[in-house]
Amino acid sequence: MLFHVEMEVRIPHDLPTERTDALKQAERIRAMELQRTGVWRHLWRVAGRYANVSVLDVSGPQELHDMLSSLPLFPFMEIRVTPLCRHPSSIHDDDR
Ligand SMILES: O=C(O)C[C@H]1C=CC(=O)O1
């Protein structure tokens, strides 16, 4: 099941730099792992914002929630989720 997910990151300015850097590094490693497994199908930076637009391929809302809430930066993210379904005019067989 595909979900469009927008993640806006808001790290408090008073978080120590070393902690911020460690969280970003851990997030990067996890995001790359999930892309390799096929769960995180698309990851795009939103131009001009510390935000991304992603397409995630999971079994359903519970797996999505478990995945998102396990991300290192989750405590500092505002997340918006939109479920997706196949468009009848899509020519891509994997759009489901
Ligand atoms: O940078 C971001 O958009 C936040 C998060 C999502 C993937 C990643 O590497 O970090």
Side-chain angles (χ1 to χ4, degrees), residues 11-25:
I11 298 174
H13 296 298
D14 59 355
L15 201 70
T17 309
E18 311 78 62
R19 176 96 180 101
T20 302
D21 290 348
L23 283 168
K24 286 182 180 176
Q25 177 64 6

Side-chain angles (χ1 to χ4, degrees), residues 7-9 23-32 35 40 43-46 49-54 71 73 77:
M7 305 177 212
E8 182 104 35
V9 185
L23 283 168
K24 286 182 180 176
Q25 177 64 6
E27 179 81 22
R28 182 176 156 76
I29 289 167
R30 185 68 184 131
M32 291 170 87
Q35 286 172 81
W40 203 321
L43 171 59
W44 295 94
R45 174 65 72 220
V46 178
R49 282 164 46 200
Y50 190 5
N52 72 72
V53 165
S54 295
L71 293 175
L73 284 175
M77 283 178 178

Side-chain angles (χ1 to χ4, degrees), residues 1-95:
M1 193 173 173
L2 297 179
F3 290 89
H4 172 280
V5 179
E6 187 166 353
M7 305 177 212
E8 182 104 35
V9 185
R10 295 211 182 89
I11 298 174
H13 296 298
D14 59 355
L15 201 70
T17 309
E18 311 78 62
R19 176 96 180 101
T20 302
D21 290 348
L23 283 168
K24 286 182 180 176
Q25 177 64 6
E27 179 81 22
R28 182 176 156 76
I29 289 167
R30 185 68 184 131
M32 291 170 87
E33 278 172 6
L34 288 164
Q35 286 172 81
R36 287 191 195 98
T37 66
V39 164
W40 203 321
R41 270 215 211 173
H42 293 274
L43 171 59
W44 295 94
R45 174 65 72 220
V46 178
R49 282 164 46 200
Y50 190 5
N52 72 72
V53 165
S54 295
V55 175
L56 302 176
D57 189 355
V58 291
S59 59
Q62 187 64 59
E63 186 185 344
L64 179 67
H65 179 76
D66 293 344
M67 191 232 114
L68 291 173
S69 59
S70 73
L71 293 175
L73 284 175
F74 177 77
F76 308 110
M77 283 178 178
E78 188 175 302
I79 300 176
R80 278 183 293 275
V81 172
T82 308
L84 302 174
C85 55
R86 186 174 174 79
H87 193 290
S89 305
S90 173
I91 62 166
H92 301 287
D93 289 339
D94 61 349
D95 282 358

